[in-house]
Amino acid sequence: VHDSDRKKMESLQALHPTKIEILPEIRDICTLKTDVIFTMLPNCASVVETVDHLLHNDEYIAVLKNERFDNQLTVVDCSTISPIISRDLHKKIRDGQSHGLGRCEMLDAPVSGGVKGAANGTLTFMVGGNASTLSHVEDLLLCMGDNVIHCGDDGKGTVAKLCTNLALASQMMGICEAMNLGNGLGIDPTILAGVMNSSTAKCWSSEVCNPDPIVAAGVGGPASLDYEGGFDIDLMVKDADLAVGAGAACDVS
C-alpha cells in the first residue's frame, strides 16, 4: 500500500501486520509481483499523475513481462473523478500495450458506503469498463464490498457515482437545514427524526447518517463522534463541481 500520509499506512499495517506491506514511493511498486493495482485518490490530477507513474515505470513493466501474468496489467481506479478524464485514462492504459505489455485494462470502480462501509467491508462498487475485465477482479472487489454493479462501458461507474453523490449532497443539505430548524423551534430531535423516517423525508441522510449528534448516537453515525469518520465536506464540494462540469460538457440543461 502507498499513501502520501505515512501515518495512515502505518495505522493500516498495525491492524494487519502480516498482510500489509508499505511502499514508501509509488515507484517501489516494481518490488511487487502483482498484475492488479487499485487506486483511490482525492482528485483527478492525482489519478492522472499516478497512472503516468505506472505506465512509465520501466522496472515495474519488466516485472510484469517476466512474471506469470501473461503480460497483463489491470488498474482499478476507485476514485471519484470526471467521467471524461476517466475515459481518457481507460484509453491511456490500453495504449500501455505500446510498452510491450500483452494487455492493459482499466476499470473505473468508485464506491458508495462511506467510512463505515469501508471498515465493515460492505461497500458498493459502481464499475465501468469491459465485463471480461470485471470478471478478472470481481473476487478482489468482493473482499472489500458486498455489492458490485457493472454500470456499462468506460467511465460509466464514475457517471453513476457522480449522480449518486449529487443526489446525496442535495439530500444531506436538506436534512441539515431541517434538523437545524427543528432545533431552533424546540422540537426533540429524536422525535423529528422519527417523523422524517416515517414520512416522505426518509432518506440515508435522515436515517443512517443524521447530522444531529443525539439522533446519530442511536445508529453510531459520525455526528455522535464529534463528526469524526464522516465524508469530508471539501470532497463533496469537489464531487458536486465535477457533476456540474460533466453536465456542462454534455449540454445537460
Side-chain angles (χ1 to χ4, degrees), residues 58 92 130 173 181 224:
D58 293 336
K92 182 179 288 189
N130 291 333
M173 286 189 291
L181 176 62
S224 67

Side-chain angles (χ1 to χ4, degrees), residues 147-171:
N147 196 15
V148 177
I149 303 171
H150 187 217
C151 300
D153 60 10
D154 300 355
K156 292 302 192 299
T158 301
V159 171
K161 172 64 173 178
L162 284 188
C163 293
T164 297
N165 273 19
L166 180 62
L168 173 61
S170 303
Q171 177 194 106

Side-chain angles (χ1 to χ4, degrees), residues 193-251:
V195 171
M196 287 182 171
N197 292 330
S198 301
S199 67
T200 54
K202 182 178 180 179
C203 60
W204 186 84
S205 298
S206 66
E207 188 173 33
V208 178
C209 198
N210 195 289
D212 184 276
I214 296 173
V215 178
V219 293
S224 67
L225 304 170
D226 198 25
Y227 299 95
E228 288 293 326
F231 188 60
D232 191 274
I233 290 176
D234 288 341
L235 291 177
M236 182 59 83
V237 171
K238 180 266 295 183
D239 291 351
D241 284 342
L242 287 174
V244 171
C250 60
D251 295 324

